[in-house]
Amino acid sequence: AQECGLPLANIEETFKDYNGLAEKQQKDPDNGPYEAYGGGKSWDKWGKKFFHNLPLETSDSFHVAIVTPVIHYCMGGMRINGDAESLGASDQVIGGLYSAGEAA
């Protein structure tokens, strides 16, 4: 907290809330008020239903990184048709090979 310039009390409160959600989810996984990611119900407003390595405590060690969003482009990749079928030489469909995402 000190290295990142964050008040320890903020992290303690966040961990307390997170640990509470995890405990509720473990005790009653089917009756949370929110839709869970991938189906089912969750006590977490973001839909998380699996919690691991608990409880979180501020006395634990953490690796922290600063992540900066960037715009990136893919300047090439698989050529596909409107059915997501991969195309080879001369724009011929490669049977059984489908592509999607930024590289297609």
Side-chain angles (χ1 to χ4, degrees):
Q2 185 178 7
E3 240 178 83
C4 294
L6 300 171
L8 182 59
N10 291 12
I11 298 172
E12 289 171 334
E13 184 66 26
T14 300
F15 283 6
K16 178 183 167 197
D17 293 345
Y18 186 85
N19 290 334
L21 288 171
E23 188 176 324
K24 282 183 184 179
Q25 191 67 30
Q26 182 181 10
K27 288 182 180 177
D28 189 10
D30 300 321
N31 293 305
Y34 304 102
E35 294 297 320
Y37 179 76
K41 291 293 191 174
S42 175
W43 292 94
D44 174 49
K45 67 181 176 182
W46 304 109
K48 183 172 183 170
K49 60 182 177 178
F50 300 109
F51 297 82
H52 304 284
N53 303 316
L54 298 172
L56 292 180
E57 298 174 353
T58 56
S59 60
D60 290 341
S61 295
F62 295 92
H63 298 277
V64 179
I66 297 172
V67 178
T68 303
V70 297
I71 296 174
H72 65 279
Y73 299 94
C74 180
M75 297 302 181
M78 296 294 295
R79 187 171 176 85
I80 62 172
N81 64 18
D83 295 320
E85 295 172 304
S86 298
L87 305 176
S90 303
D91 290 336
Q92 297 297 313
V93 171
I94 301 171
L97 182 61
Y98 297 86
S99 299
E102 289 185 15

